[in-house]
Amino acid sequence: MGSGWVRVREIRACGQASQNPGLATVTVVVDPRPPGGGDLTLSGNNYTVNFTATRTFHDVPAGDIRLKVRAPPVTEAREVVRNPEPGVTAIWAPSPALWTGRAITFAPISIQVGYSLVPGELVFSASGFPQDGQATVSAGPYSATLGGGSSQNVSALPGRYTTSASPEVSVSRSGNGVSWTEIYTLRSLSPSPTVAVSSRQTSGVSAAYSGPLPGTLCEDASCRQVSPGAYFAPASQFLDRYTTTRTESCPAGYTGSVTVTQTWERWRVWSPSVVGVSSRGTGSFFSSVEERLVSEERQDNCQEPPPLPENPPENPPPDEGSEQQPPPCAGIYGCSPIPPGNQPPPGPILA
């Protein structure tokens, strides 16, 4: 037979009747098995045995295979229910739950039965913030990321799990050329701190948020809390009106002056024109005084200067062709360059 081994059930001489007729060998392997063992029954022709773990049976009735086949043996495995924690029901379901076959004296049978834990269901939900926000709600290793007002079902094994949720949800917004952020905070988590999950049962974990948190809007040094959003600058404020007068010179060649009278207004104006205020953030408007010209009047007192008189030239040019006469001499000595006292005696005076 080679190097294997065999189980000797019976030894008899040729032609001798069997001393152990109708017995077959059946092995039931329970793997995996639930805590404390399974709940199985092996039954056949006038044969029933209950057991919880892997076992081999050598006394299972079998018919004379040369004449007829007896009713097949039946292995039935039932669900096992346990309560591992308060409020938790855990069910281990067998697979297969029912097995049928034929028991033959010379052919051992092996049956495989495995147990698995039946899951329950967790329903995660979140509320109190916009749909385009996202919050993560968890129970132990199970979680769901949700928009505001939505829910999600998750299959979960039986047990008790610690619950948690995102402490805040941030939602970005924009409009009117600015952007801002809305922040919603976790208000309540139910149940907390744990949730119990049982086989074939549904448990829920819900997170409720409140908000959005306010921000701060300032107009110069005056600040107040406001909801997040876009805010426009205050309207311009009229302060007072005044008049100024100034004198300007006339254009070249004119005499007099020009009187300019202007009417002005003072206004308080704000900048920028719009700001975005986020939760926990600050938006500020700053004021300045702007002077606006309302009207201008010009009084022209300019005059043309009087015409100049037409006077003859002081040294008119000599007439052409005339001899130039020496300048007339004056004084006692005429034009003589000799100083007084050294004059020669006068000559004869001609009539």
Side-chain angles (χ1 to χ4, degrees), residues 4-337:
W5 61 274
V6 296
R7 179 189 300 274
V8 178
R9 293 182 174 277
E10 183 179 357
I11 299 176
R12 57 177 172 163
C14 292
Q16 181 182 357
S18 173
Q19 303 298 316
N20 187 23
L23 296 180
T25 299
V26 177
T27 299
V28 180
V29 178
V30 183
D31 185 28
R33 71 173 190 171
D39 184 7
L40 299 95
T41 298
L42 178 64
S43 60
N45 185 21
N46 298 321
Y47 179 89
T48 301
V49 61
N50 298 318
F51 58 103
T52 61
T54 299
R55 185 172 171 182
T56 299
F57 305 92
H58 300 288
D59 56 350
V60 179
D64 189 339
I65 63 173
R66 290 176 299 177
L67 298 176
K68 59 181 179 179
V69 177
R70 296 274 187 175
V74 176
T75 299
E76 182 182 1
R78 288 166 293 278
E79 290 183 341
V80 175
V81 179
R82 299 284 186 268
N83 298 105
E85 298 181 60
V88 176
T89 299
I91 299 175
W92 278 264
S95 178
L98 181 64
W99 183 94
T100 60
R102 293 194 177 102
I104 305 174
T105 56
F106 59 84
I109 299 174
S110 181
I111 305 169
Q112 178 78 35
V113 178
Y115 279 86
S116 60
L117 198 53
V118 178
E121 192 170 55
L122 274 172
V123 180
F124 294 108
S125 61
S127 62
F129 60 93
Q131 177 64 38
D132 56 347
Q134 286 191 337
T136 299
V137 185
S138 303
Y142 307 101
S143 64
T145 300
L146 308 167
S150 63
S151 62
Q152 183 176 336
N153 293 24
V154 176
S155 179
L157 294 178
R160 184 170 291 276
Y161 303 102
T162 300
T163 57
S164 63
S166 302
E168 292 182 348
V169 174
S170 296
V171 183
S172 297
R173 293 280 184 262
S174 63
N176 297 304
V178 294
S179 59
W180 64 93
T181 300
E182 299 174 353
I183 298 178
Y184 299 81
T185 57
L186 180 64
R187 184 181 74 247
S188 64
L189 179 64
S190 179
S192 180
T194 61
V195 62
V197 179
S198 295
S199 296
R200 297 198 183 100
Q201 296 182 17
T202 300
S203 301
V205 180
S206 60
Y209 290 79
S210 60
L213 294 177
T216 302
L217 180 64
C218 294
E219 297 172 4
D220 287 340
S222 176
C223 299
R224 69 182 189 275
Q225 284 194 333
V226 296
S227 298
Y231 288 85
F232 291 92
S236 299
Q237 300 167 297
F238 172 75
L239 299 178
D240 62 1
R241 176 178 291 192
Y242 64 94
T243 302
T244 62
T245 303
R246 72 175 185 272
T247 300
E248 296 180 354
S249 299
C250 292
Y254 288 81
T255 62
S257 62
V258 178
T259 302
V260 181
T261 301
Q262 293 180 328
T263 300
W264 294 82
E265 290 181 349
R266 288 190 180 95
W267 288 80
R268 183 177 300 279
V269 295
W270 300 87
S271 62
S273 59
V274 60
V275 296
V277 179
S278 298
S279 295
R280 299 197 186 104
T282 300
S284 298
F285 292 111
F286 301 96
S287 69
S288 61
V289 176
E290 181 181 275
E291 296 185 344
R292 302 175 182 176
L293 179 63
V294 178
S295 63
E296 179 179 274
E297 295 181 1
R298 303 177 64 89
Q299 186 176 358
D300 190 344
N301 296 319
C302 297
Q303 298 179 358
E304 293 184 4
L308 296 175
E310 297 181 358
N311 294 328
E314 295 182 358
N315 297 312
D319 295 337
E320 293 183 1
S322 64
E323 293 183 0
Q324 186 171 358
Q325 299 295 325
C329 295
I332 298 176
Y333 302 106
C335 299
S336 174

